[in-house]
């Protein structure tokens, strides 16, 4: 795997929880990191950063945003369950705008922040790989299914390569029993993004984003070419998590891989 930095790398969702973490961690991946979000961001800290506000739902604005970048780490959008109408612009139109701009500007590599919620209706007693039929658990999960399909289409039709990371739960620490299985540390997320950016010939690869947790639901055999080797484990947080009252056994958070998302809504 070569790790020659890109000249200019775009990070969307830069004001978000993960975006703020990745702003620091991806700085070595490019000479210039272009940071974008609809929400306010800290100003550029030097010539190695550019801050470009943009609404992903605005096609012309996204076209301008992507001009001059070599690769995109697409983390922007609505990140939890909402009414479909609230997800449509940022996530559905937004991902299309990103890929269409990438095509027009000749960008050849994208990392897409997909989610475990594309398969959230699988039970916690099931083990699946990236070829398992998707079972989205929410309008949010549906939007991530669409994003993965856009990535697949733009590879087959235009040769734009993507690594879609089905992120589990990427937070400083797991917050409940489910997250002991889904937790992805920031170090392991960073490793996945770097491998996604710099591994040759990824086509459209789907990889599950979980750390080296004791309990795993997801099999990454179809992404072995990335060489992802998670270093962290949720096990160090187990006692802390188990000291809290556990949800009832029939609570969705204890039954489904997608947890509470399976029971969100309806919104009308
Ligand atoms: P977040 O909600 O903190 O960050 C998302 C960012 O996208 C926000 O800063 C928000 O302002 C921005 N955004 C929303 N609508 C926008 C629009 N119309 N135009 C431009 N920017 C817009 O979420 P987080 O946790 O940082 O997640 C980042 C990405 O990773 C999201 O795409 C999320 O779906 C995905 N993900 C995160 C997981 C996690 O455990 N943190 C798990 C699975 C997926
Ligand atoms: C996600 O996709 C969300 O963006 C994040 O906020 C968490 O809810 C995570 O999944 C999860 O499933 O824990």
């Amino acid at each position: 795997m070569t790790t020659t930095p890109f000249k200019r790398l775009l990070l969307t969702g830069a004001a978000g929880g993960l975006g703020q973490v990745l702003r620091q961690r991806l700085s070595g991946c490019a000479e210039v990191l272009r940071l974008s979000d609809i929400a306010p961001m800290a100003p550029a800290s030097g010539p190695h950063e550019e801050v470009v506000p943009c609404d992903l739902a605005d096609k012309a604005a996204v076209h301008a945003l992507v001009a001059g970048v070599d690769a995109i780490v697409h983390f922007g959008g609505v990140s939890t369950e909402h009414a479909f109408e609230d997800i449509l612009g940022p996530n559905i139109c937004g991902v299309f705008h990103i890929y269409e701009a990438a095509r027009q500007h000749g960008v050849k590599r994208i990392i897409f922040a997909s989610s475990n919620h594309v398969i959230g209706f699988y039970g916690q007693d099931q083990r699946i790989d990236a070829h398992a039929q998707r079972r989205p658990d929410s309008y949010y999960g549906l939007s991530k299914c669409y994003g993965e399909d856009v990535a697949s289409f733009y590879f087959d039709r235009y040769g734009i390569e993507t690594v879609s990371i089905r992120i589990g739960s990427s937070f400083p620490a797991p917050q409940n029993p489910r997250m002991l299985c889904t937790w992805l540390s920031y170090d392991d997320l960073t490793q996945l993004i770097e491998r996604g950016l710099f591994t040759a010939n990824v086509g459209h690869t789907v990889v599950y984003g979980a750390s080296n947790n004791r309990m795993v639901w997801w099999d990454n055999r179809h992404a072995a070419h990335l060489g992802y080797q998670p270093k962290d484990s949720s096990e160090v947080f187990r006692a802390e998590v188990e000291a809290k009252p556990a949800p009832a056994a029939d609570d969705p958070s204890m039954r489904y891989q997608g947890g509470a998302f399976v029971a969100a809504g309806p919104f009308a």
Side-chain angles (χ1 to χ4, degrees):
M1 184 180 72
T2 168
T3 53
T4 309
F6 292 100
K7 186 156 176 39
R8 187 170 272 99
L9 176 66
L10 169 62
L11 172 65
T12 68
L18 295 182
Q20 292 181 57
V21 170
L22 296 174
R23 180 174 184 166
Q24 310 303 324
R25 287 162 180 255
L26 298 183
S27 61
C29 292
E31 290 171 29
V32 177
L33 200 52
R34 181 174 293 172
L35 303 153
S36 185
D37 205 295
I38 198 170
M41 294 163 282
S45 61
H48 62 287
E49 286 189 344
E50 296 172 346
V51 172
V52 184
C54 178
D55 180 354
L56 290 163
D58 180 338
K59 188 175 187 184
V62 174
H63 183 83
L65 174 69
V66 171
V69 310
D70 307 302
I72 302 171
V73 177
H74 182 43
F75 272 55
V78 172
S79 65
T80 52
E81 178 63 330
H82 285 79
F84 176 75
E85 290 76 5
D86 297 332
I87 287 174
L88 177 61
N91 291 24
I92 304 248
C93 298
V95 77
F96 167 67
H97 295 158
I98 286 285
Y99 276 84
E100 191 51 14
R103 179 186 70 78
Q104 292 181 0
H105 290 297
V107 177
K108 289 294 183 197
R109 182 64 63 101
I110 298 178
I111 307 300
F112 173 56
S114 186
S115 170
N116 70 88
H117 296 289
V118 303
I119 48 80
F121 259 113
Y122 281 96
Q124 294 186 3
D125 56 350
Q126 293 178 284
R127 302 288 171 270
I128 54 173
D129 63 29
H131 291 178
Q133 184 178 347
R134 290 180 303 209
R135 297 183 70 181
D137 60 19
S138 50
Y139 298 115
Y140 166 71
L142 282 167
S143 77
K144 296 296 186 179
C145 290
Y146 176 73
E148 290 187 3
D149 283 347
V150 169
S152 177
F153 168 68
Y154 273 81
F155 174 64
D156 288 337
R157 179 67 181 82
Y158 300 112
I160 297 172
E161 295 191 288
T162 296
V163 173
S164 291
I165 308 175
R166 290 182 180 170
I167 303 170
S169 307
S170 195
F171 298 100
Q175 294 152 18
N176 52 46
R178 171 181 166 271
M179 286 192 190
L180 291 173
C181 300
T182 59
W183 186 63
L184 174 65
S185 73
Y186 292 155
D187 279 356
D188 289 336
L189 171 64
T190 306
Q191 184 198 150
L192 263 177
I193 294 173
E194 289 178 348
R195 288 180 181 273
L197 285 171
F198 295 113
T199 302
N201 303 321
V202 295
H204 177 220
T205 297
V206 173
V207 61
Y208 289 96
S211 283
N212 186 26
N213 304 326
R214 190 174 90 193
M215 285 281 293
V216 283
W217 301 328
W218 306 323
D219 176 341
N220 267 333
R221 77 180 71 190
H222 301 299
H225 51 283
L226 294 180
Y228 170 56
Q229 292 183 320
K231 301 279 188 272
D232 295 315
S233 167
S234 62
E235 215 45 33
V236 295
F237 300 102
R238 179 172 293 277
E240 196 181 313
V241 168
E242 291 183 347
K244 298 184 214 166
D250 63 349
D251 188 279
S253 71
M254 302 296 271
R255 290 184 58 202
Y256 294 100
Q257 296 192 5
F261 280 53
V262 306
F267 295 94

